[in-house]
Amino acid sequence: MKTANEIVSKLKEHQASSPSKWRENAEWRMANKSWLRYSQHIAMKMLDKMDELGMTQKRLSELMGCSQQYVSKILKGQENLSLETLAKIERCLQISILGNLAK
């Protein structure tokens, strides 16, 4: 049976050279929970419509006038979207995000 010092030594051998950002990421998610929920909902709505239309991220980025990388960030559901971006998404995918606010 290994001693506690041997176990700790073995664990340190496999320790990452850079500190984990787990706590920092968890704290960020908690601090931004309210708008992240909306962002994730929008991303799911977009993915459903893109699937229905057979549309790629590249094509959507062309229609929106932005980079494919930005569309990818939006579809991860962790992007704090501007009203301008929301309007572009609605127009390009023919979906309603803002609902009755646009009327």
mmCIF file of all heavy atoms in Angstrom, residues 17-52:
data_model
loop_
_atom_site.group_PDB
_atom_site.id
_atom_site.type_symbol
_atom_site.label_atom_id
_atom_site.label_comp_id
_atom_site.label_asym_id
_atom_site.label_seq_id
_atom_site.Cartn_x
_atom_site.Cartn_y
_atom_site.Cartn_z
ATOM 1 N N SER A 17 1.057 22.033 -16.112
ATOM 2 C CA SER A 17 2.027 23.098 -15.864
ATOM 3 C C SER A 17 1.350 24.453 -15.631
ATOM 4 O O SER A 17 1.881 25.310 -14.948
ATOM 5 C CB SER A 17 3.013 23.206 -17.029
ATOM 6 O OG SER A 17 2.314 23.459 -18.226
ATOM 7 N N SER A 18 0.182 24.654 -16.205
ATOM 8 C CA SER A 18 -0.547 25.904 -15.998
ATOM 9 C C SER A 18 -1.735 25.645 -15.076
ATOM 10 O O SER A 18 -2.316 24.570 -15.091
ATOM 11 C CB SER A 18 -1.025 26.474 -17.330
ATOM 12 O OG SER A 18 -1.886 25.563 -17.960
ATOM 13 N N PRO A 19 -2.097 26.637 -14.276
ATOM 14 C CA PRO A 19 -3.220 26.438 -13.350
ATOM 15 C C PRO A 19 -4.548 26.272 -14.097
ATOM 16 O O PRO A 19 -4.744 26.833 -15.171
ATOM 17 C CB PRO A 19 -3.228 27.702 -12.494
ATOM 18 C CG PRO A 19 -2.470 28.712 -13.281
ATOM 19 C CD PRO A 19 -1.517 27.953 -14.165
ATOM 20 N N SER A 20 -5.446 25.517 -13.508
ATOM 21 C CA SER A 20 -6.761 25.275 -14.106
ATOM 22 C C SER A 20 -7.586 26.552 -14.081
ATOM 23 O O SER A 20 -7.533 27.335 -13.131
ATOM 24 C CB SER A 20 -7.481 24.183 -13.328
ATOM 25 O OG SER A 20 -8.812 24.076 -13.765
ATOM 26 N N LYS A 21 -8.367 26.750 -15.130
ATOM 27 C CA LYS A 21 -9.250 27.912 -15.191
ATOM 28 C C LYS A 21 -10.679 27.501 -14.863
ATOM 29 O O LYS A 21 -11.611 28.254 -15.098
ATOM 30 C CB LYS A 21 -9.181 28.538 -16.578
ATOM 31 C CG LYS A 21 -7.816 29.093 -16.881
ATOM 32 C CD LYS A 21 -7.860 30.068 -18.005
ATOM 33 C CE LYS A 21 -6.471 30.608 -18.219
ATOM 34 N NZ LYS A 21 -6.435 32.007 -18.430
ATOM 35 N N TRP A 22 -10.841 26.312 -14.315
ATOM 36 C CA TRP A 22 -12.173 25.800 -14.023
ATOM 37 C C TRP A 22 -12.943 26.753 -13.122
ATOM 38 O O TRP A 22 -14.077 27.111 -13.416
ATOM 39 C CB TRP A 22 -12.080 24.414 -13.370
ATOM 40 C CG TRP A 22 -13.422 23.881 -13.019
ATOM 41 C CD1 TRP A 22 -14.247 23.155 -13.820
ATOM 42 C CD2 TRP A 22 -14.134 24.066 -11.790
ATOM 43 N NE1 TRP A 22 -15.415 22.871 -13.169
ATOM 44 C CE2 TRP A 22 -15.376 23.423 -11.918
ATOM 45 C CE3 TRP A 22 -13.842 24.717 -10.596
ATOM 46 C CZ2 TRP A 22 -16.321 23.406 -10.897
ATOM 47 C CZ3 TRP A 22 -14.787 24.701 -9.580
ATOM 48 C CH2 TRP A 22 -16.005 24.049 -9.743
ATOM 49 N N ARG A 23 -12.338 27.145 -12.002
ATOM 50 C CA ARG A 23 -13.032 28.030 -11.056
ATOM 51 C C ARG A 23 -13.364 29.372 -11.706
ATOM 52 O O ARG A 23 -14.467 29.886 -11.571
ATOM 53 C CB ARG A 23 -12.207 28.250 -9.791
ATOM 54 C CG ARG A 23 -12.911 29.167 -8.783
ATOM 55 C CD ARG A 23 -12.116 29.380 -7.522
ATOM 56 N NE ARG A 23 -11.886 28.176 -6.772
ATOM 57 C CZ ARG A 23 -12.764 27.630 -5.924
ATOM 58 N NH1 ARG A 23 -13.926 28.200 -5.751
ATOM 59 N NH2 ARG A 23 -12.489 26.540 -5.268
ATOM 60 N N GLU A 24 -12.412 29.927 -12.437
ATOM 61 C CA GLU A 24 -12.629 31.205 -13.119
ATOM 62 C C GLU A 24 -13.781 31.101 -14.113
ATOM 63 O O GLU A 24 -14.645 31.973 -14.164
ATOM 64 C CB GLU A 24 -11.344 31.601 -13.845
ATOM 65 C CG GLU A 24 -11.373 32.941 -14.520
ATOM 66 C CD GLU A 24 -10.049 33.239 -15.203
ATOM 67 O OE1 GLU A 24 -8.993 33.112 -14.554
ATOM 68 O OE2 GLU A 24 -10.081 33.587 -16.393
ATOM 69 N N ASN A 25 -13.818 30.027 -14.884
ATOM 70 C CA ASN A 25 -14.900 29.817 -15.856
ATOM 71 C C ASN A 25 -16.239 29.621 -15.160
ATOM 72 O O ASN A 25 -17.267 30.148 -15.613
ATOM 73 C CB ASN A 25 -14.590 28.619 -16.757
ATOM 74 C CG ASN A 25 -13.444 28.886 -17.702
ATOM 75 O OD1 ASN A 25 -13.133 30.035 -17.994
ATOM 76 N ND2 ASN A 25 -12.804 27.843 -18.177
ATOM 77 N N ALA A 26 -16.253 28.873 -14.076
ATOM 78 C CA ALA A 26 -17.496 28.635 -13.329
ATOM 79 C C ALA A 26 -18.028 29.948 -12.745
ATOM 80 O O ALA A 26 -19.233 30.207 -12.787
ATOM 81 C CB ALA A 26 -17.274 27.603 -12.236
ATOM 82 N N GLU A 27 -17.136 30.758 -12.212
ATOM 83 C CA GLU A 27 -17.552 32.049 -11.649
ATOM 84 C C GLU A 27 -18.094 32.967 -12.739
ATOM 85 O O GLU A 27 -19.083 33.671 -12.531
ATOM 86 C CB GLU A 27 -16.382 32.705 -10.911
ATOM 87 C CG GLU A 27 -16.050 32.007 -9.600
ATOM 88 C CD GLU A 27 -14.765 32.491 -8.962
ATOM 89 O OE1 GLU A 27 -14.006 33.273 -9.592
ATOM 90 O OE2 GLU A 27 -14.497 32.070 -7.819
ATOM 91 N N TRP A 28 -17.460 32.934 -13.925
ATOM 92 C CA TRP A 28 -17.937 33.751 -15.046
ATOM 93 C C TRP A 28 -19.336 33.306 -15.462
ATOM 94 O O TRP A 28 -20.217 34.140 -15.678
ATOM 95 C CB TRP A 28 -16.956 33.637 -16.223
ATOM 96 C CG TRP A 28 -17.384 34.445 -17.410
ATOM 97 C CD1 TRP A 28 -17.147 35.771 -17.624
ATOM 98 C CD2 TRP A 28 -18.147 33.984 -18.533
ATOM 99 N NE1 TRP A 28 -17.716 36.160 -18.818
ATOM 100 C CE2 TRP A 28 -18.328 35.086 -19.401
ATOM 101 C CE3 TRP A 28 -18.684 32.762 -18.892
ATOM 102 C CZ2 TRP A 28 -19.027 34.989 -20.587
ATOM 103 C CZ3 TRP A 28 -19.375 32.663 -20.085
ATOM 104 C CH2 TRP A 28 -19.537 33.771 -20.919
ATOM 105 N N ARG A 29 -19.554 31.986 -15.566
ATOM 106 C CA ARG A 29 -20.881 31.476 -15.949
ATOM 107 C C ARG A 29 -21.947 31.873 -14.932
ATOM 108 O O ARG A 29 -23.052 32.248 -15.295
ATOM 109 C CB ARG A 29 -20.856 29.954 -16.124
ATOM 110 C CG ARG A 29 -20.195 29.508 -17.414
ATOM 111 C CD ARG A 29 -20.404 28.032 -17.688
ATOM 112 N NE ARG A 29 -20.014 27.164 -16.594
ATOM 113 C CZ ARG A 29 -18.774 26.705 -16.378
ATOM 114 N NH1 ARG A 29 -17.800 27.041 -17.192
ATOM 115 N NH2 ARG A 29 -18.518 25.918 -15.354
ATOM 116 N N MET A 30 -21.604 31.821 -13.654
ATOM 117 C CA MET A 30 -22.564 32.214 -12.610
ATOM 118 C C MET A 30 -22.875 33.714 -12.694
ATOM 119 O O MET A 30 -24.028 34.113 -12.570
ATOM 120 C CB MET A 30 -22.014 31.863 -11.219
ATOM 121 C CG MET A 30 -21.992 30.380 -10.935
ATOM 122 S SD MET A 30 -23.620 29.618 -10.940
ATOM 123 C CE MET A 30 -24.313 30.354 -9.479
ATOM 124 N N ALA A 31 -21.862 34.534 -12.912
ATOM 125 C CA ALA A 31 -22.051 35.983 -12.969
ATOM 126 C C ALA A 31 -22.856 36.403 -14.195
ATOM 127 O O ALA A 31 -23.511 37.442 -14.182
ATOM 128 C CB ALA A 31 -20.695 36.694 -12.965
ATOM 129 N N ASN A 32 -22.813 35.593 -15.253
ATOM 130 C CA ASN A 32 -23.475 35.947 -16.510
ATOM 131 C C ASN A 32 -24.648 35.027 -16.837
ATOM 132 O O ASN A 32 -25.104 34.986 -17.982
ATOM 133 C CB ASN A 32 -22.444 35.915 -17.650
ATOM 134 C CG ASN A 32 -21.382 36.966 -17.465
ATOM 135 O OD1 ASN A 32 -21.632 38.147 -17.645
ATOM 136 N ND2 ASN A 32 -20.201 36.553 -17.062
ATOM 137 N N LYS A 33 -25.134 34.326 -15.836
ATOM 138 C CA LYS A 33 -26.168 33.308 -16.028
ATOM 139 C C LYS A 33 -27.420 33.844 -16.713
ATOM 140 O O LYS A 33 -27.986 33.182 -17.580
ATOM 141 C CB LYS A 33 -26.526 32.686 -14.669
ATOM 142 C CG LYS A 33 -27.477 31.528 -14.756
ATOM 143 C CD LYS A 33 -27.488 30.709 -13.476
ATOM 144 C CE LYS A 33 -28.289 31.316 -12.385
ATOM 145 N NZ LYS A 33 -28.461 30.413 -11.235
ATOM 146 N N SER A 34 -27.835 35.049 -16.375
ATOM 147 C CA SER A 34 -29.103 35.560 -16.905
ATOM 148 C C SER A 34 -29.069 35.703 -18.427
ATOM 149 O O SER A 34 -29.967 35.233 -19.116
ATOM 150 C CB SER A 34 -29.466 36.889 -16.244
ATOM 151 O OG SER A 34 -28.465 37.839 -16.500
ATOM 152 N N TRP A 35 -28.043 36.339 -18.992
ATOM 153 C CA TRP A 35 -28.012 36.514 -20.440
ATOM 154 C C TRP A 35 -27.498 35.274 -21.164
ATOM 155 O O TRP A 35 -27.841 35.051 -22.322
ATOM 156 C CB TRP A 35 -27.260 37.762 -20.861
ATOM 157 C CG TRP A 35 -25.778 37.773 -20.615
ATOM 158 C CD1 TRP A 35 -25.135 38.362 -19.577
ATOM 159 C CD2 TRP A 35 -24.759 37.198 -21.438
ATOM 160 N NE1 TRP A 35 -23.779 38.181 -19.696
ATOM 161 C CE2 TRP A 35 -23.525 37.472 -20.832
ATOM 162 C CE3 TRP A 35 -24.761 36.464 -22.625
ATOM 163 C CZ2 TRP A 35 -22.301 37.049 -21.356
ATOM 164 C CZ3 TRP A 35 -23.550 36.045 -23.148
ATOM 165 C CH2 TRP A 35 -22.342 36.330 -22.527
ATOM 166 N N LEU A 36 -26.711 34.438 -20.494
ATOM 167 C CA LEU A 36 -26.236 33.201 -21.129
ATOM 168 C C LEU A 36 -27.408 32.293 -21.497
ATOM 169 O O LEU A 36 -27.389 31.633 -22.535
ATOM 170 C CB LEU A 36 -25.267 32.453 -20.215
ATOM 171 C CG LEU A 36 -23.830 32.918 -20.250
ATOM 172 C CD1 LEU A 36 -23.024 32.253 -19.135
ATOM 173 C CD2 LEU A 36 -23.199 32.655 -21.595
ATOM 174 N N ARG A 37 -28.424 32.269 -20.653
ATOM 175 C CA ARG A 37 -29.617 31.458 -20.922
ATOM 176 C C ARG A 37 -30.258 31.885 -22.245
ATOM 177 O O ARG A 37 -30.638 31.060 -23.069
ATOM 178 C CB ARG A 37 -30.605 31.600 -19.762
ATOM 179 C CG ARG A 37 -31.578 30.481 -19.635
ATOM 180 C CD ARG A 37 -32.341 30.530 -18.317
ATOM 181 N NE ARG A 37 -31.600 31.269 -17.292
ATOM 182 C CZ ARG A 37 -32.128 32.166 -16.480
ATOM 183 N NH1 ARG A 37 -33.395 32.439 -16.530
ATOM 184 N NH2 ARG A 37 -31.401 32.799 -15.592
ATOM 185 N N TYR A 38 -30.373 33.197 -22.455
ATOM 186 C CA TYR A 38 -30.936 33.715 -23.704
ATOM 187 C C TYR A 38 -30.034 33.361 -24.891
ATOM 188 O O TYR A 38 -30.510 32.962 -25.952
ATOM 189 C CB TYR A 38 -31.120 35.233 -23.639
ATOM 190 C CG TYR A 38 -32.209 35.666 -22.697
ATOM 191 C CD1 TYR A 38 -31.907 36.355 -21.530
ATOM 192 C CD2 TYR A 38 -33.549 35.384 -22.969
ATOM 193 C CE1 TYR A 38 -32.909 36.761 -20.652
ATOM 194 C CE2 TYR A 38 -34.552 35.783 -22.100
ATOM 195 C CZ TYR A 38 -34.228 36.467 -20.958
ATOM 196 O OH TYR A 38 -35.220 36.863 -20.095
ATOM 197 N N SER A 39 -28.734 33.530 -24.710
ATOM 198 C CA SER A 39 -27.785 33.248 -25.777
ATOM 199 C C SER A 39 -27.860 31.778 -26.201
ATOM 200 O O SER A 39 -27.837 31.463 -27.392
ATOM 201 C CB SER A 39 -26.365 33.598 -25.316
ATOM 202 O OG SER A 39 -25.442 33.406 -26.354
ATOM 203 N N GLN A 40 -27.981 30.886 -25.240
ATOM 204 C CA GLN A 40 -28.086 29.456 -25.549
ATOM 205 C C GLN A 40 -29.395 29.145 -26.264
ATOM 206 O O GLN A 40 -29.420 28.355 -27.212
ATOM 207 C CB GLN A 40 -27.949 28.641 -24.261
ATOM 208 C CG GLN A 40 -26.555 28.710 -23.687
ATOM 209 C CD GLN A 40 -26.479 28.290 -22.226
ATOM 210 O OE1 GLN A 40 -27.482 27.991 -21.596
ATOM 211 N NE2 GLN A 40 -25.269 28.281 -21.697
ATOM 212 N N HIS A 41 -30.472 29.784 -25.842
ATOM 213 C CA HIS A 41 -31.775 29.588 -26.484
ATOM 214 C C HIS A 41 -31.719 30.052 -27.946
ATOM 215 O O HIS A 41 -32.214 29.376 -28.849
ATOM 216 C CB HIS A 41 -32.858 30.340 -25.711
ATOM 217 C CG HIS A 41 -34.204 30.288 -26.344
ATOM 218 N ND1 HIS A 41 -34.999 29.171 -26.310
ATOM 219 C CD2 HIS A 41 -34.887 31.224 -27.053
ATOM 220 C CE1 HIS A 41 -36.121 29.416 -26.990
ATOM 221 N NE2 HIS A 41 -36.078 30.654 -27.438
ATOM 222 N N ILE A 42 -31.105 31.204 -28.172
ATOM 223 C CA ILE A 42 -30.977 31.743 -29.534
ATOM 224 C C ILE A 42 -30.119 30.812 -30.385
ATOM 225 O O ILE A 42 -30.461 30.522 -31.536
ATOM 226 C CB ILE A 42 -30.390 33.173 -29.492
ATOM 227 C CG1 ILE A 42 -31.418 34.131 -28.879
ATOM 228 C CG2 ILE A 42 -29.966 33.635 -30.883
ATOM 229 C CD1 ILE A 42 -30.834 35.470 -28.455
ATOM 230 N N ALA A 43 -29.026 30.317 -29.823
ATOM 231 C CA ALA A 43 -28.150 29.402 -30.565
ATOM 232 C C ALA A 43 -28.911 28.144 -30.987
ATOM 233 O O ALA A 43 -28.775 27.688 -32.137
ATOM 234 C CB ALA A 43 -26.934 29.031 -29.713
ATOM 235 N N MET A 44 -29.729 27.598 -30.094
ATOM 236 C CA MET A 44 -30.503 26.394 -30.435
ATOM 237 C C MET A 44 -31.521 26.693 -31.531
ATOM 238 O O MET A 44 -31.706 25.904 -32.458
ATOM 239 C CB MET A 44 -31.210 25.840 -29.194
ATOM 240 C CG MET A 44 -30.275 25.247 -28.168
ATOM 241 S SD MET A 44 -29.240 23.921 -28.820
ATOM 242 C CE MET A 44 -30.444 22.754 -29.347
ATOM 243 N N LYS A 45 -32.167 27.841 -31.439
ATOM 244 C CA LYS A 45 -33.142 28.250 -32.453
ATOM 245 C C LYS A 45 -32.458 28.404 -33.814
ATOM 246 O O LYS A 45 -32.982 27.979 -34.844
ATOM 247 C CB LYS A 45 -33.800 29.559 -32.016
ATOM 248 C CG LYS A 45 -35.078 29.888 -32.696
ATOM 249 C CD LYS A 45 -35.772 31.047 -31.989
ATOM 250 C CE LYS A 45 -37.182 31.170 -32.495
ATOM 251 N NZ LYS A 45 -37.973 32.148 -31.794
ATOM 252 N N MET A 46 -31.279 29.007 -33.805
ATOM 253 C CA MET A 46 -30.515 29.190 -35.038
ATOM 254 C C MET A 46 -30.110 27.846 -35.634
ATOM 255 O O MET A 46 -30.253 27.623 -36.839
ATOM 256 C CB MET A 46 -29.257 30.023 -34.765
ATOM 257 C CG MET A 46 -29.511 31.468 -34.459
ATOM 258 S SD MET A 46 -27.994 32.339 -33.983
ATOM 259 C CE MET A 46 -27.056 32.258 -35.521
ATOM 260 N N LEU A 47 -29.606 26.961 -34.786
ATOM 261 C CA LEU A 47 -29.166 25.646 -35.272
ATOM 262 C C LEU A 47 -30.320 24.859 -35.875
ATOM 263 O O LEU A 47 -30.162 24.211 -36.916
ATOM 264 C CB LEU A 47 -28.512 24.861 -34.133
ATOM 265 C CG LEU A 47 -27.109 25.328 -33.740
ATOM 266 C CD1 LEU A 47 -26.710 24.742 -32.395
ATOM 267 C CD2 LEU A 47 -26.097 24.979 -34.821
ATOM 268 N N ASP A 48 -31.487 24.924 -35.229
ATOM 269 C CA ASP A 48 -32.666 24.231 -35.765
ATOM 270 C C ASP A 48 -33.024 24.764 -37.152
ATOM 271 O O ASP A 48 -33.279 23.997 -38.083
ATOM 272 C CB ASP A 48 -33.869 24.390 -34.825
ATOM 273 C CG ASP A 48 -33.744 23.565 -33.559
ATOM 274 O OD1 ASP A 48 -32.892 22.642 -33.513
ATOM 275 O OD2 ASP A 48 -34.496 23.847 -32.600
ATOM 276 N N LYS A 49 -33.030 26.095 -37.296
ATOM 277 C CA LYS A 49 -33.402 26.706 -38.574
ATOM 278 C C LYS A 49 -32.342 26.445 -39.641
ATOM 279 O O LYS A 49 -32.679 26.153 -40.798
ATOM 280 C CB LYS A 49 -33.628 28.209 -38.390
ATOM 281 C CG LYS A 49 -34.182 28.881 -39.609
ATOM 282 C CD LYS A 49 -35.586 28.386 -39.953
ATOM 283 C CE LYS A 49 -36.183 29.194 -41.080
ATOM 284 N NZ LYS A 49 -37.580 28.926 -41.301
ATOM 285 N N MET A 50 -31.082 26.510 -39.259
ATOM 286 C CA MET A 50 -30.013 26.224 -40.207
ATOM 287 C C MET A 50 -30.098 24.787 -40.701
ATOM 288 O O MET A 50 -29.909 24.519 -41.885
ATOM 289 C CB MET A 50 -28.644 26.490 -39.569
ATOM 290 C CG MET A 50 -28.341 27.957 -39.367
ATOM 291 S SD MET A 50 -26.858 28.235 -38.362
ATOM 292 C CE MET A 50 -25.597 27.610 -39.489
ATOM 293 N N ASP A 51 -30.406 23.872 -39.788
ATOM 294 C CA ASP A 51 -30.568 22.469 -40.164
ATOM 295 C C ASP A 51 -31.735 22.308 -41.134
ATOM 296 O O ASP A 51 -31.629 21.631 -42.150
ATOM 297 C CB ASP A 51 -30.784 21.616 -38.902
ATOM 298 C CG ASP A 51 -30.777 20.139 -39.191
ATOM 299 O OD1 ASP A 51 -29.887 19.680 -39.940
ATOM 300 O OD2 ASP A 51 -31.658 19.429 -38.666
ATOM 301 N N GLU A 52 -32.841 22.982 -40.820
ATOM 302 C CA GLU A 52 -34.037 22.938 -41.676
ATOM 303 C C GLU A 52 -33.730 23.462 -43.085
ATOM 304 O O GLU A 52 -34.206 22.909 -44.078
ATOM 305 C CB GLU A 52 -35.136 23.786 -41.024
ATOM 306 C CG GLU A 52 -36.427 23.866 -41.798
ATOM 307 C CD GLU A 52 -37.406 24.836 -41.137
ATOM 308 O OE1 GLU A 52 -37.555 24.791 -39.897
ATOM 309 O OE2 GLU A 52 -38.020 25.646 -41.865
#
